[in-house]
Amino acid sequence: VALSPDPRPCVSPDRGESGFERAHRFTKSVRHTDLARVLGAGRMDDGRPYGWTELVNGMSLSEEVRHRGAMPPADAVLIAMRVGTVVAALHARHIIHRDLRPSRIMTRTGSDGRFHVKLLDLSLARLTHEADDRAAGLDATAFGDPRYQSPERLAGGGTSPADDVYALGALLYLMLTGRPAVTPTGPGVDGVRGFYAEHGSAPARALPSSLPIPLVTTVQRALEPDLAFRLPDAAAFTEALAQVPPIPSDAEPARGGRLRRVLSGLLGR
């Protein structure tokens, strides 16, 4: 168990909840082995919030990419599938994560050689029927990494499953290439907005030509700036990944086989 204070202000002014209190409420309603649990939340005598969470071992996806660079495509798809499946469980309960980024994903390799993934932190999550940041009087960009926030989130909206899909696409792009989909033109949110103004909302860089076309298409549809053409939710994202054929021969055969076995288990096939 890990005990932590919460330095952030109230993230839900309509309910007066701290981030830990909100995350605790949501993790009680969604049970998934790949979702890190918030076991409890409270307030100190001076009113500051705190919470205790499941202790998660491993390396964050940020650290993983920093050490390894671009991942073998089979590994990238495997992790994206695992994270997407957790997010799909949230979406099924009308919960939007809203803070998907590399530091929120922990990975480790078990003794059986398989990846284990944990998705962290529902403190910024919101229900689909709740007001977006603009209507709630909050700064949508005050927390999180703007490189993984959808264009509509940067504009003050982003209370729909498609907001999380954009982040899932950006995470998959990072794993496949070793670099973020967005390269800010300057510091902070303004730098990301500058990138969008210069290149459009979709990444300017092309994905490697060696990748299967269905995989490239999935990344592109997840990062689509127009909501009418973006994959609508995490279930659609994971279903699209399930259509990716065996990874090209330059990947290790064991990884390709392991990917197919895991996908078959996840989808009950």
Side-chain angles (χ1 to χ4, degrees):
V1 176
L3 180 65
S4 305
D6 188 350
R8 294 166 295 191
C10 172
V11 297
S12 178
D14 54 330
R15 296 178 63 97
E17 288 181 314
S18 70
F20 272 124
E21 289 164 340
R22 170 156 284 232
H24 181 225
R25 178 162 61 91
F26 286 150
T27 53
K28 284 196 302 182
S29 68
V30 178
R31 299 286 184 178
H32 196 289
T33 55
D34 292 341
L35 178 64
R37 294 173 297 156
V38 177
L39 304 174
R43 302 274 179 149
M44 301 180 189
D45 291 342
D46 60 6
R48 287 181 297 164
Y50 67 92
W52 55 100
T53 65
E54 173 186 358
L55 183 62
V56 179
N57 296 315
M59 182 180 292
S60 74
L61 188 58
S62 300
E63 297 169 315
E64 189 85 32
V65 173
R66 190 178 305 121
H67 283 85
R68 296 176 62 184
M71 294 182 176
D75 290 350
V77 173
L78 176 73
I79 293 173
M81 191 72 170
R82 296 289 294 264
V83 175
T85 301
V86 183
V87 179
L90 295 172
H91 289 176
R93 299 302 297 266
H94 310 290
I95 300 168
I96 315 303
H97 189 285
R98 300 176 74 247
D99 193 22
L100 296 171
R101 48 179 158 140
S103 62
R104 293 293 181 260
I105 298 165
M106 297 294 291
T107 67
R108 66 180 178 87
T109 303
S111 57
D112 56 0
R114 295 177 59 184
F115 272 116
H116 295 264
V117 175
K118 283 285 186 181
L119 177 61
L120 311 178
D121 197 359
L122 290 175
S123 61
L124 295 183
R126 193 163 289 186
L127 294 168
T128 53
H129 67 264
E130 292 182 299
D132 62 22
D133 292 315
R134 193 167 35 210
L138 297 174
D139 181 358
T141 62
F143 305 107
D145 187 333
R147 294 174 298 175
Y148 299 90
Q149 293 175 356
S150 66
E152 63 270 19
R153 173 76 182 281
L154 293 176
T159 310
S160 78
D163 182 48
D164 283 345
V165 170
Y166 191 92
L168 288 169
L171 289 167
L172 182 51
Y173 187 102
L174 173 73
M175 290 187 284
L176 290 170
T177 66
R179 59 181 185 260
V182 171
T183 304
T185 58
V189 176
D190 288 340
V192 174
R193 289 174 176 152
F195 173 90
Y196 287 157
E198 184 175 341
H199 299 288
S201 296
R205 299 189 184 99
L207 287 162
S209 59
S210 60
L211 294 175
I213 291 176
L215 177 54
V216 173
T217 300
T218 299
V219 177
Q220 291 173 337
R221 292 187 64 199
L223 290 170
E224 171 59 53
D226 188 336
L227 284 170
F229 297 102
R230 191 183 307 164
L231 292 167
D233 54 30
F237 176 81
T238 55
E239 183 59 33
L241 284 181
Q243 305 307 313
V244 175
I247 299 300
S249 57
D250 58 330
E252 292 183 20
R255 283 179 173 155
R258 183 180 68 197
L259 173 64
R260 289 192 293 275
R261 290 194 301 273
V262 172
L263 295 188
S264 295
L266 286 170
L267 299 172
R269 296 177 181 174

